[in-house]
């Protein structure tokens, strides 16, 4: 599992593992697509994501891949909302 506490860190997983990206729901996160070689989306995705989880990717092969996300605050409709941009980056190292 990759969480906000992994920002600017390296996480290790094994080929065949599922990488859950759970950055929370206080920010409307937009993930960049995985590289498709080391990390890939599973198609079809036959499961629902729990609240606060943005994606679950498959570790397809040994190597390194970067998870990048950015987003703004989730604010109730009609309320004042701070204009800030959150940025997240983590490296995933996949070992055999």
């Amino acid at each position: 599992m990759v969480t906000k506490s992994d920002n600017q860190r390296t996480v290790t997983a094994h080929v065949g593992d599922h990488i859950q990206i759970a950055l929370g729901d206080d920010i409307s996160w937009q993930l960049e697509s995985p590289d498709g070689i080391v990390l890939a989306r599973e198609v079809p995705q036959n499961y629902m994501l729990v609240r606060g989880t943005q994606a679950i990717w498959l570790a397809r092969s040994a190597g390194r891949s970067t998870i990048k996300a950015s987003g703004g605050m989730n604010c109730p409709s009609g309320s004042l909302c701070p204009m800030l941009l959150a940025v997240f980056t983590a490296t995933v190292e996949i070992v055999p």
Side-chain angles (χ1 to χ4, degrees), residues 13-95:
H14 292 88
V15 172
D17 285 351
H18 286 89
I19 310 298
Q20 179 179 354
I21 303 162
L23 303 177
D25 58 1
D26 56 331
I27 301 214
S28 179
W29 292 105
Q30 299 297 315
L31 288 173
E32 289 186 12
S33 294
D35 62 20
I37 299 168
V38 176
L39 290 177
R41 290 185 179 152
E42 286 188 294
V43 178
Q45 180 178 324
N46 295 325
Y47 45 83
M48 302 255 323
L49 298 176
V50 296
R51 186 174 178 174
T53 294
Q54 285 68 41
I56 298 175
W57 293 342
L58 177 65
R60 290 187 61 190
S61 65
R64 287 179 162 242
S65 187
T66 302
I67 297 172
K68 294 181 182 179
S70 61
M73 298 292 296
N74 276 329
C75 298
S77 180
S79 68
L80 293 177
C81 194
M83 296 297 292
L84 88 111
L85 177 67
V87 177
F88 175 88
T89 303
T91 300
V92 179
E93 183 168 353
I94 308 299
V95 295

Side-chain angles (χ1 to χ4, degrees), residues 3 16 22 59 76:
T3 66

